[in-house]
Amino acid sequence: MKKLFLLLLVVYSCTTPTAETEEETTEISDKTVRIEISTTLENDAVQITYYDYVDDTDILNEYIFDYDSSGNAIPVVITLDDYDFRYIRGEVYRKNSIPNELTLKIYVDDELIIEESKTGDESEWINIGFNYDILIGESI
């Protein structure tokens, strides 16, 4: 009986469990990222910077708002098609301290992931930064 017990103990200790482990996915595939900026100021312009992972560089451009026939600003829209990088980061800012609101919205595949508005206080520029991990779905 003792030999049978030892044999079973040896066999059991030499086997590996067959439980499957789930691998963590770290791949993002072909997302569409849309960055939208709107303003409440007439004749407004903003600086927008964002990281371009394809060129491994930060893109910085000034965008001047267009206005509809009622005088409302048409949002500036930057669309990044086939985006397969895990992070989206950058900032939006106005190069003056005018006390009007800027709003940033970022969508991934038409799902709103970031919405933030700031209003100037006449003493410093409005700056809205963003750094978002698409894979885990949160700002970092």
Side-chain angles (χ1 to χ4, degrees):
M1 187 70 166
K2 206 183 239 188
K3 289 181 183 181
L4 179 60
F5 176 73
L6 286 174
L7 180 63
L8 288 174
L9 182 62
V10 169
V11 169
Y12 179 74
S13 64
C14 292
T15 60
T16 58
T18 58
E20 296 180 20
T21 58
E22 188 175 310
E23 292 184 24
E24 183 178 325
T25 304
T26 58
E27 186 176 308
I28 304 296
S29 61
D30 299 336
K31 302 284 186 189
T32 298
V33 174
R34 189 173 74 242
I35 303 169
E36 289 185 10
I37 299 89
S38 57
T39 184
T40 61
L41 179 64
E42 294 180 17
N43 301 316
D44 200 2
V46 293
Q47 305 291 316
I48 303 170
T49 181
Y50 60 92
Y51 178 71
D52 183 342
Y53 75 95
V54 173
D55 295 331
D56 191 27
T57 187
D58 285 295
I59 305 295
L60 170 63
N61 287 312
E62 180 175 66
Y63 294 85
I64 299 172
F65 286 92
D66 291 323
Y67 295 82
D68 64 17
S69 61
S70 300
N72 299 316
I74 299 169
V76 169
V77 177
I78 300 168
T79 303
L80 308 171
D81 291 316
D82 300 325
Y83 195 85
D84 60 0
F85 191 59
R86 180 175 177 169
Y87 306 99
I88 179 78
R89 69 172 169 84
E91 66 181 348
V92 177
Y93 61 95
R94 183 187 289 137
K95 293 189 336 179
N96 56 48
S97 57
I98 297 172
N100 286 75
E101 185 177 75
L102 274 180
T103 300
L104 167 69
K105 293 181 181 180
I106 299 179
Y107 298 84
V108 173
D109 289 340
D110 294 325
E111 178 184 338
L112 181 64
I113 60 166
I114 294 175
E115 181 174 19
E116 186 172 350
S117 295
K118 287 190 177 178
T119 302
D121 65 2
E122 297 186 3
S123 65
E124 63 181 65
W125 296 0
I126 293 176
N127 184 332
I128 303 172
F130 55 93
N131 192 2
Y132 190 84
D133 185 326
I134 294 171
L135 183 64
I136 62 174
E138 64 184 43
S139 291
I140 51 175

